[in-house]
Amino acid sequence: MRTHDAPHAAAQPHVLDVADVVAGYGKNTVLRGVGLTVGESELVALLGHNGAGKTTLLRSIVGQVKPTAGRVLLDGADFTGRPPSATAVAGMSLVPQGHGVFPSLTIEENLTLAAATGGKRGASAATLADSKAFAFDLFGILKQRPKDRAGSLSGGQRQMLAISMALMTQPRLMLLDEPSTGLAPVLVDEVLAAVRKVNRELGTSVLVVEQDIKRVLGVADRAYVLKLGGLVFTGTPAQLEKRDWSELF
Amino acid sequence: MDLLLQLAKNGAIIGLLYGLFAYGMSLIVSTTGVLHFAHGFTLVGSAYTFWWLFQGQDVHPVLAAALTLVVAGAIGVLIELGIYRPLRRRKAGEMTFLVASLAVLTLGQNFLVLLFGTDPKPTPPSEFMSWSVSFGPLLIRTFDVLVIAASLVAFVGLYLLQTKTAVGLSFRAVGDNPQRAETLGIRLQHTYVWVFLAGSVVAGLPAILLSVQNPVTPSMGFDLLVKAVIALVIGGIGSMPGALLGGVLIGLVESLAVYKLPTHWAEFTLFAVLFLFVVVRPNGLTRSRLRSA
């Protein structure tokens, strides 16, 4: 577990600042005034039961769901209700649950497309080559089979490719929605270790939604717990460990 | 036997044009999810454009062909911007898109009748188009060479577009998962415009080539649309080899049917083959990539 004696968020401006967001689907309000922050180079976990509103919050941040109230700021700029293509170009990169790759494209094509369309469109060839090398270093299996269609990959390999695609966009903020879903425990460790490496070595801020609480707390700087559309905990993993989890989850 | 070979060659050549037209439509359908029956209007509108430029305005055929491709692309883009985009904004259902698409085809076809009448519009025979050379029993004409060259350029071009360029890769990505494509920064509305442009320009090629071979008629868009739909049912939507195979198969069936059967049985034979495919292989020769609009 990382040390938390000097939280990043207090000293530096927030990369992501979500304030009092109310959002849902039609008349069904899922989020009832949720606020959270992700600081520079910070890895933040968003926890909670099924139906607590975690995915809706991620979708509200990237613009897939339009909040009816509240604000979403990236580096201080207001992106509330902006479309996903705009938040992506601004530097938010979502790795959605289960469907993060394009099955009919090869591994290489998925990475090429992500580099060409997402995030920093003006990134130099050298920067993109560095990102690709970093991704291949993280997930060697992808390097071995660049011509394979993403649709033929296993669940774990797809997740690795989806994270690599996010890397190719040179994101300011990477948002991962339950990266461990459907993966064997050994793969969960590998994927979370890769996320931590991205966060530490590239300084990318990360907000990760995860069901595997123990494992994600092992890599997170801070955690939020969401229950029935409202926050019930904010603090460090160490503080969360001391709480009565039956109240929170 | 010689006649059979010649019929097979003719069928394969016309089938290439069916395949080209079908693939342009298939590209649009698999990327946008819209059953773009108005593609038939793109074809007939382009065919009349070529005929009008070449025959009516005495424009050099090469320039007329180039201008026709521009018009073909413009027709497709205008249909996307003027019809489908507003429907998408209103979150219209698939049936609405289908009816709107058929309406564009019908209205457009009738508009051409108002402008040019119903009588067929032939292009005059030329020395260039009359050239031919024999390979044993096979007679190869200028038309055959032009169709093969146009198909080669179009299919190779579309293949490279979709494997080597960001915009082409985004066609396939949006066809796979539009929501995910958006979160990668792909603007769906831009992608739709590009795919309508690409698919419609491709429709311009059979429009031009059919115009120099046969008289232009208002119903040719609908006729070719029916064949494209059959080609896609047989070959599979979103697949280049599928559209090509489906188109060539239809061309061969149409052409070879008249070897033993009266000519009016050609269509019956075509639909019999379609029926057979629907029963035996409902998903087509290749797996279709079809999503909702």
Side-chain angles (χ1 to χ4, degrees):
Chain A
M1 199 175 290
R2 297 171 73 171
T3 54
H4 307 286
D5 22 349
H8 310 246
Q12 295 176 7
H14 299 136
V15 173
L16 177 71
D17 200 333
V18 177
D20 304 319
V21 162
V22 178
Y25 306 94
K27 288 178 180 170
N28 178 21
T29 303
V30 178
L31 301 174
R32 302 164 196 281
V34 176
L36 62 75
T37 59
V38 179
E40 189 76 47
S41 305
E42 201 181 16
L43 198 161
V44 175
L46 179 59
L47 311 170
H49 256 310
N50 276 339
K54 307 183 297 294
T55 298
T56 305
L57 182 53
L58 282 196
R59 290 167 62 97
S60 303
I61 293 168
V62 300
Q64 284 183 323
V65 170
K66 279 194 179 182
T68 51
R71 302 182 83 179
V72 175
L73 308 177
L74 180 72
D75 286 323
D78 194 347
F79 281 90
T80 318
R82 295 292 307 280
S85 54
T87 58
V89 171
M92 292 190 199
S93 196
L94 175 71
V95 180
Q97 187 183 356
H99 306 285
V101 303
F102 300 109
S104 72
L105 273 63
T106 64
I107 289 175
E108 200 162 42
E109 287 172 340
N110 269 287
L111 294 173
T112 305
L113 181 68
T117 56
K120 302 273 163 42
R121 283 166 197 244
S124 69
T127 311
L128 292 175
D130 283 350
S131 298
K132 200 169 176 179
F134 191 86
F136 281 163
D137 185 43
L138 279 180
F139 307 117
I141 187 83
L142 301 179
K143 193 179 183 178
Q144 293 164 20
R145 305 158 60 184
K147 301 287 178 199
D148 280 13
R149 283 198 192 278
S152 70
L153 301 177
S154 69
Q157 290 162 348
R158 284 188 193 205
Q159 197 59 263
M160 293 169 187
L161 177 57
I163 292 170
S164 302
M165 287 163 69
L167 273 178
M168 296 303 289
T169 69
Q170 324 281 314
R172 277 289 284 148
L173 174 70
M174 196 187 277
L175 305 107
L176 298 106
D177 193 2
E178 302 200 11
S180 74
T181 303
L183 302 188
V186 61
L187 276 177
V188 176
D189 288 335
E190 191 179 343
V191 166
L192 286 178
V195 172
R196 182 167 58 178
K197 197 170 177 191
V198 169
N199 169 251
R200 277 183 172 171
E201 295 187 12
L202 301 179
T204 308
S205 302
V206 177
L207 178 62
V208 54
V209 165
E210 186 49 68
Q211 291 276 14
D212 195 332
I213 301 168
K214 291 270 183 195
R215 281 193 162 84
V216 77
L217 288 182
V219 298
D221 295 311
R222 282 191 304 125
Y224 290 89
V225 179
L226 206 53
K227 188 176 184 180
L228 298 172
L231 283 177
V232 291
F233 173 85
T234 306
T236 64
Q239 289 166 338
L240 183 56
E241 298 275 6
K242 290 176 190 157
R243 290 287 296 269
D244 178 2
W245 284 19
S246 62
E247 288 173 13
L248 301 176
F249 296 101
Chain B
M1 190 62 196
D2 287 2
L3 175 62
L4 196 66
L5 267 176
Q6 190 64 26
L7 285 173
K9 187 270 301 176
N10 288 347
I13 291 292
I14 204 79
L16 276 177
L17 288 184
Y18 296 162
L20 253 183
F21 179 68
Y23 188 61
M25 181 174 165
S26 157
L27 197 62
I28 292 170
V29 175
S30 62
T31 303
T32 66
V34 177
L35 279 173
H36 180 47
F37 287 163
H39 202 52
F41 175 67
T42 307
L43 181 114
V44 71
S46 308
Y48 270 95
T49 303
F50 180 76
W51 172 82
W52 180 76
L53 287 168
F54 180 37
Q55 180 70 5
Q57 307 300 309
D58 212 16
V59 174
H60 188 277
V62 175
L63 180 61
L67 290 172
T68 301
L69 293 182
V70 173
V71 169
I75 293 173
V77 169
L78 286 174
I79 293 171
E80 157 60 15
L81 294 177
I83 310 288
Y84 299 143
R85 183 173 286 190
L87 288 178
R88 222 175 273 122
R89 280 211 185 102
R90 290 174 200 163
K91 303 198 185 307
E94 279 173 36
M95 195 53 80
T96 312
F97 277 94
L98 184 69
V99 171
S101 191
L102 281 170
V104 170
L105 174 62
T106 313
L107 288 172
Q109 195 168 301
N110 283 294
F111 178 67
L112 290 171
V113 171
L114 281 176
L115 276 182
F116 299 107
T118 51
D119 52 318
K121 310 286 184 202
T123 46
S126 66
E127 204 177 312
F128 177 68
M129 290 306 292
S130 312
W131 173 88
S132 67
V133 62
S134 292
F135 285 101
L138 281 185
L139 185 71
I140 307 291
R141 304 159 298 166
T142 306
F143 177 71
D144 303 333
V145 176
L146 288 178
V147 170
I148 291 168
S151 306
L152 204 65
V153 168
F155 278 116
V156 170
L158 287 173
Y159 175 78
L160 293 175
L161 177 77
Q162 290 184 84
T163 52
K164 304 291 176 202
T165 71
V167 71
L169 286 171
S170 71
F171 293 170
R172 293 162 59 201
V174 170
D176 272 357
N177 187 343
Q179 287 79 26
R180 172 58 176 145
E182 260 198 307
T183 62
L184 262 188
I186 294 171
R187 281 178 285 187
L188 297 184
Q189 307 300 349
H190 285 212
T191 306
Y192 294 154
V193 169
W194 281 111
V195 80
F196 269 93
L197 180 68
S200 303
V201 166
V202 170
L205 290 171
I208 295 162
L209 290 163
L210 288 171
S211 305
V212 293
Q213 181 71 2
N214 303 310
V216 176
T217 64
S219 65
M220 67 188 284
F222 182 79
D223 296 343
L224 223 69
L225 179 73
V226 172
K227 281 163 190 159
V229 170
I230 297 174
L232 295 181
V233 170
I234 291 175
I237 291 170
S239 152
M240 186 181 282
L244 198 57
L245 275 173
V248 170
L249 190 70
I250 289 176
L252 285 172
V253 168
E254 254 187 355
S255 187
L256 293 175
V258 300
Y259 182 64
K260 285 288 180 199
L261 298 169
T263 48
H264 60 268
W265 278 75
E267 210 151 282
F268 172 83
T269 319
L270 191 60
F271 279 93
V273 170
L274 173 67
F275 178 74
L276 202 70
F277 257 91
V278 170
V279 172
V280 176
R281 216 180 154 95
N283 290 328
L285 293 170
T286 60
R287 218 171 122 217
S288 283
R289 291 172 57 230
L290 186 58
R291 70 170 184 84
S292 305

